[in-house]
Amino acid sequence: HLLAQGELRRVVEKFACPDPDFETLQVGLVAEFSACFGAVEIDNFARLCGDWNPQHVDDDYARRRRFRRRVAHGMLVASVISRAAGMHFPGKQSLVMQVEQITFHDPVMEDEELRCITTIAEVQRVFRVLILDVRLFGRYGKPKMTSRLKVQYRPRAEAPNSAVTVENVMQSDLSGHVALVTGASRGIGAA
């Protein structure tokens, strides 16, 4: 449905934990994968986080309620964010720095087939940071969750002098950009 509308410029399929050169990552690049949270995942997540709400873990209770079946925990559903960054953009070089927003549009049911579309929305080359838009869709393209996150690309082991430093940043062309520096006790602020 989305592809037919021309919304997605490029789709990367079967993209499993790549090791890309940061310079090849660009705005508009898309990775798509499917997900499904069954009883095993829901029960394991309940054990992990301690959320035993019967809507998630009790079949009889869930059948008598509005959705008629078990609902996956919201944070379990949000775990697609980690998969998007760690297995797709930028893959094994990733470090999720910030989840700027998560919006749940509709509950995800047990065993519901989902499609996750991750798009590179912004590339901050100086700091090797990607801003990713993660969208999760259920049956008939119904939106389930949207999120925006900031991911740092951690380069492979490099010589110490090739790391991003204040000096490297100051030598970059930042004309037309505005920066606010806070925290004078260490790092950039101290410099």
Side-chain angles (χ1 to χ4, degrees):
H1 173 68
L2 292 171
L3 288 170
Q5 294 176 356
E7 180 181 339
L8 307 178
R9 285 185 267 180
R10 281 190 274 166
V11 175
V12 180
E13 302 214 13
K14 298 180 184 174
F15 208 175
C17 206
D19 190 12
D21 180 341
F22 186 73
E23 299 308 314
T24 65
L25 299 172
Q26 53 191 293
V27 172
L29 193 58
V30 174
E32 184 173 339
F33 60 88
S34 60
C36 183
F37 301 104
V40 171
E41 290 82 14
I42 292 171
D43 293 342
N44 285 340
F45 189 80
R47 276 190 279 289
L48 177 68
C49 75
D51 180 356
W52 296 98
N53 181 315
Q55 184 64 61
H56 301 306
V57 297
D58 185 329
D59 287 323
D60 292 333
Y61 178 90
R63 262 194 293 279
R64 295 189 313 267
R65 298 296 178 255
R66 176 181 170 206
F67 300 113
R68 304 281 186 234
R69 44 192 241 208
R70 298 194 324 166
V71 175
H73 300 76
M75 299 299 12
L76 173 59
V77 172
S79 70
V80 299
I81 292 169
S82 183
R83 183 174 170 190
M87 298 302 291
H88 298 277
F89 297 131
K92 47 184 154 172
Q93 308 298 25
S94 70
L95 177 64
V96 175
M97 298 171 58
Q98 180 179 2
V99 178
E100 296 178 4
Q101 75 178 45
I102 298 177
T103 304
F104 296 101
H105 303 283
D106 199 48
V108 171
M109 302 299 134
E110 178 183 15
D111 294 324
E112 183 176 2
E113 292 294 324
L114 303 166
R115 185 177 68 170
C116 184
I117 299 174
T118 304
T119 307
I120 298 178
E122 187 178 334
V123 178
Q124 299 172 359
R125 298 225 179 265
V126 173
F127 295 106
R128 293 184 172 201
V129 167
L130 300 174
I131 306 298
L132 303 179
D133 285 331
V134 179
R135 296 172 295 154
L136 192 64
F137 299 93
R139 195 171 179 184
Y140 308 118
K142 187 171 189 175
K144 295 291 183 168
M145 183 201 78
T146 53
S147 181
R148 178 166 272 220
L149 60 147
K150 185 183 289 189
V151 181
Q152 186 171 37
Y153 176 88
R154 305 293 291 193
R156 298 183 268 309
E158 296 179 347
N161 63 355
S162 66
V164 175
T165 63
V166 173
E167 290 78 18
N168 291 353
V169 171
M170 296 311 290
Q171 293 172 2
S172 301
D173 180 15
L174 298 176
S175 57
H177 290 81
V178 175
L180 170 65
V181 180
T182 62
S185 64
R186 63 178 191 202
I188 294 173

